[in-house]
Amino acid sequence: MRIQQLRELLDYVATCRIEMAQLYSRLHSQADSSRVKLMLEYFQQHERNTAEKLENYIDDAPKKVLDTWYKDIVFEDFIGQCQKLTLPGSMNEDDVLELHLKLDNSLIDLLEKTASSSATAETKGALEDLVRVKKIQQQRLVHSSIRMDDI
């Protein structure tokens, strides 16, 4: 996929988050373990919340930042990748966490790549802030997932 405007990129990332939630829902119906199902429910809710927050950010962000144009932002078909992904019914918590981190890091990398090619300091700063927040959220999610092992 070729991204031209920052608004388009952020809309796409929000859509990717919804697609991740749908993937986790599909995996939930295939999972054998109740612990894995619990984790997938948690990840579904997390991704829906993340998408909603990103959509709120888009609504509130300055128009001149959202209208920033890019020439060379190309990204793989993330949505198609999510739709094709499967895990066996015997998946465990580590399998799910590993998959989540792979997908999450892919989207974070896209934001970082876009930030580094931003022409204005304001746009670059806005994207760097999004990346920083997302990394903190990811850290908290991993800690919460690890705490689930203690239950």
Side-chain angles (χ1 to χ4, degrees), residues 1-3 13 18 25 33 40 50 58 81 88 96 98 118 126:
M1 166 166 198
R2 183 176 280 301
I3 305 289
V13 171
I18 296 297
S25 176
S33 164
L40 287 165
T50 300
I58 294 167
Q81 180 185 0
V96 173
E98 183 179 321
S118 294

Side-chain angles (χ1 to χ4, degrees), residues 14-30 40 43-45 47-48 79 82-83 85 103:
T15 301
C16 290
R17 295 290 176 186
I18 296 297
E19 193 62 43
M20 285 172 69
Q22 291 172 350
L23 167 65
Y24 298 146
S25 176
R26 186 169 39 87
L27 291 175
H28 180 274
S29 67
Q30 300 167 353
L40 287 165
F43 284 5
Q44 282 177 61
Q45 188 61 41
E47 291 309 317
R48 286 190 181 104
I79 293 170
C82 283
Q83 291 170 347
L85 278 170
L103 295 172

Side-chain angles (χ1 to χ4, degrees), residues 100-131:
H100 173 75
L101 291 174
K102 177 184 168 206
L103 295 172
D104 198 33
N105 285 331
S106 179
L107 293 175
I108 291 171
D109 290 347
L110 174 62
L111 293 173
E112 285 179 320
K113 176 182 174 185
T114 306
S116 68
S117 64
S118 294
T120 68
E122 185 177 11
T123 303
K124 183 176 184 169
L127 283 169
E128 287 173 343
D129 287 345
L130 277 177
V131 167

